[in-house]
Amino acid sequence: MARVYASPQGAAIGGKMGPATNFIGAKVMLFAGDQLIVLQRDHAPGIPWPGLLDFPGGGREGLESAQDCVLRETFEETGLRLDPTGLRFVHNRPTRGSYGVFYAYHGPPALLDFVRFGGEGDGWLHMAPRAYVGSDQAIPPFAEILSNYLESIGIAGA
């Protein structure tokens, strides 16, 4: 039986609560078939986790919803327009007195053919999800969120 990954503001798979409304940004674990699309963060002064591998997403603009935020940021960073009905809420991560909202999106392998790097960061790549979890280039709390998500959908082992 898959474990439900709970967070302070709600639960992921099978939970009743959803994305935090008091959030500062949103990320998506973006799957193209069995591959995970990730971005390499840039090395700008003061940026958290410079050079590490990140999920598409970013900061909230105005009063947009977490879903609208992650869809906009994903388009800006990858050129991909995701179908909002395919987003699956996963986790609310406490950060800077607020929350970062995490989603998962499972697209076909052909999604890789349509990625167009938007210029934020040093580039993009795809990799096996478990390779991200085990990578010293992964953002540590994001690797943990991904690992728990994979376990919750029945993909075990690191």
Side-chain angles (χ1 to χ4, degrees), residues 67-130:
Q67 179 177 291
D68 289 342
C69 175
V70 80
L71 292 170
R72 175 186 51 76
E73 285 283 348
T74 300
F75 177 70
E76 290 173 4
E77 295 173 350
T78 68
L80 297 173
R81 290 200 186 274
L82 303 181
D83 177 355
T85 63
L87 285 174
R88 176 188 285 184
F89 168 70
V90 174
H91 183 70
N92 290 315
R93 178 180 173 266
T95 182
R96 296 182 277 168
S98 187
Y99 292 93
V101 177
F102 285 76
Y103 291 94
Y105 187 92
H106 293 266
L111 205 59
L112 295 173
D113 297 333
F114 298 99
V115 175
R116 301 293 176 262
F117 181 59
E120 288 187 37
D122 288 340
W124 74 278
L125 61 128
H126 59 90
M127 61 195 313
R130 283 289 173 197

Side-chain angles (χ1 to χ4, degrees), residues 143-158:
E144 181 180 2
I145 292 167
L146 175 60
S147 180
N148 287 324
Y149 172 69
L150 293 172
E151 183 180 325
S152 77
I153 62 170
I155 301 175

Side-chain angles (χ1 to χ4, degrees), residues 42-47:
D42 61 33
H43 293 83
I47 191 171

